[in-house]
Amino acid sequence: MNRRWRAAGVALAVAVAGIGVAPARADEGQARELLKEMSDYLAAQEVLSFTYDSDIEVVTADLQKLAFASTGTVSLARPDKIRVTRTGGFVDMEMVFDGKHFSVLGKDIDSYTQVELDGTIDDLVDRLRIDYGIAAPGADLLLSDVYDALMDNVTDVKDLGSGVIAGVECNHLAFRTEGVDWEIWIALGDAPYPCRYAVTSKLMALGPQYRIEFRDWKTGAEVAVDDFGFDPGSAIEVDIADLGGIDGVPDLTPEGEDQ
């Protein structure tokens, strides 16, 4: 483990011993610098791809917290092309953006939709969130300026030392806003890519969390060539408003009750 981790351990031992110490903000500047390094690294990658595993928690009307897991892939070519797949117990879908059109294929429901949407990946993420309530996996981490997007409204920053995700040693950082707490684990070394990203709501009962872990991270010539074409096959075209269920969460409304 690195020196920052040993220092954190000493600080904890001091706190347990009852000796007064300052709040854990001494490494705020370091945490911001590490996040900025990751942001700059991601922005510099013209093409990248990865596999992800994600969990989204929901809280039912009777305050039961449930988690739904899915897995998928992302291929990205800046500034305006991306392909996302997601497969889980309640979803099997593909989203493609080629700079001119945004297409979604629901393989499990044999339906697809396609809308005209000009612009960059940043434009796509904004339009999907604002107009359709759709978020790509770890969408904030796909933007051209991840640092500014993530640091918006942040009120507290902590450097928690190091952690290990799937055998990769990472810098572990924690941030707070009025509405959410979020953490990120960033790989050490010359390729500071995200290994895990977790967001916890502070405005909902039981604090549901969304977590995504990244693996098979590739950049440059390592990335398989993708023409970002879209083939709906024999699927039936529907309006985007009617293409439900692509977030991988089932309808938990009790039978006989309105949504």
Side-chain angles (χ1 to χ4, degrees):
M1 295 294 182
N2 61 27
R3 284 178 293 178
R4 290 192 305 102
W5 178 254
R6 292 197 296 272
V10 172
L12 178 59
V14 170
V16 171
I19 301 175
V21 295
R25 297 181 60 90
D27 290 324
E28 178 175 340
Q30 174 79 352
R32 290 175 179 270
E33 181 179 338
L34 291 169
L35 186 68
K36 186 63 166 63
E37 288 176 356
M38 183 199 75
S39 178
D40 291 345
Y41 168 78
L42 295 178
Q45 309 310 310
E46 294 185 0
V47 293
L48 61 84
S49 68
F50 56 83
T51 301
Y52 69 89
D53 298 303
S54 66
D55 296 285
I56 183 169
E57 295 180 341
V58 297
V59 178
T60 67
D62 58 353
L63 297 182
Q64 181 180 13
K65 185 161 66 172
L66 305 171
F68 296 92
S70 61
T71 189
T73 61
V74 173
S75 298
L76 178 151
R78 300 192 189 279
D80 60 0
K81 293 178 175 59
I82 185 171
R83 183 187 303 276
V84 178
T85 69
R86 181 184 295 174
T87 303
F90 299 91
V91 63
D92 186 5
M93 55 77 64
E94 180 179 50
M95 296 191 296
V96 182
F97 178 59
D98 61 6
K100 298 294 182 182
H101 298 89
F102 171 67
S103 308
V104 183
L105 173 62
K107 298 178 182 179
D108 54 331
I109 56 177
D110 200 29
S111 300
Y112 80 96
T113 191
Q114 188 173 71
V115 296
E116 292 187 7
L117 202 162
D118 292 338
T120 64
I121 294 171
D122 287 19
D123 296 326
L124 171 69
V125 171
D126 286 342
R127 286 282 305 277
L128 293 184
R129 283 176 169 169
I130 295 170
D131 296 348
Y132 305 111
I134 298 174
D140 290 335
L141 302 177
L142 305 177
L143 300 175
S144 59
D145 190 339
V146 174
Y147 183 85
D148 280 354
L150 292 182
M151 291 302 294
D152 187 34
N153 297 319
V154 165
T155 59
D156 183 78
V157 179
K158 292 183 176 66
D159 182 347
L160 300 180
S162 66
V164 177
I165 306 295
V168 178
E169 188 173 6
C170 305
N171 288 301
H172 179 194
L173 313 176
F175 303 80
R176 310 198 81 183
T177 72
E178 182 177 345
V180 301
D181 290 340
W182 58 274
E183 299 171 75
I184 193 163
W185 288 255
I186 303 171
L188 273 66
D190 296 334
Y193 61 89
C195 293
R196 177 187 290 169
Y197 177 52
V199 182
T200 303
S201 172
K202 298 195 292 186
L203 303 180
M204 297 181 64
L206 303 185
Q209 183 182 86
Y210 174 77
R211 187 176 77 172
I212 182 168
E213 291 191 5
F214 306 88
R215 50 191 170 85
D216 302 327
W217 192 274
K218 298 177 181 178
T219 60
E222 299 176 320
V223 179
V225 176
D226 190 334
D227 63 2
F228 297 94
F230 177 70
D231 180 9
S234 60
I236 300 171
E237 185 173 10
V238 298
D239 187 88
I240 191 170
D242 298 324
L243 195 70
I246 63 175
D247 58 358
V249 176
D251 181 6
L252 298 175
T253 305
E255 187 175 351
E257 293 187 14
D258 294 333
Q259 295 187 24

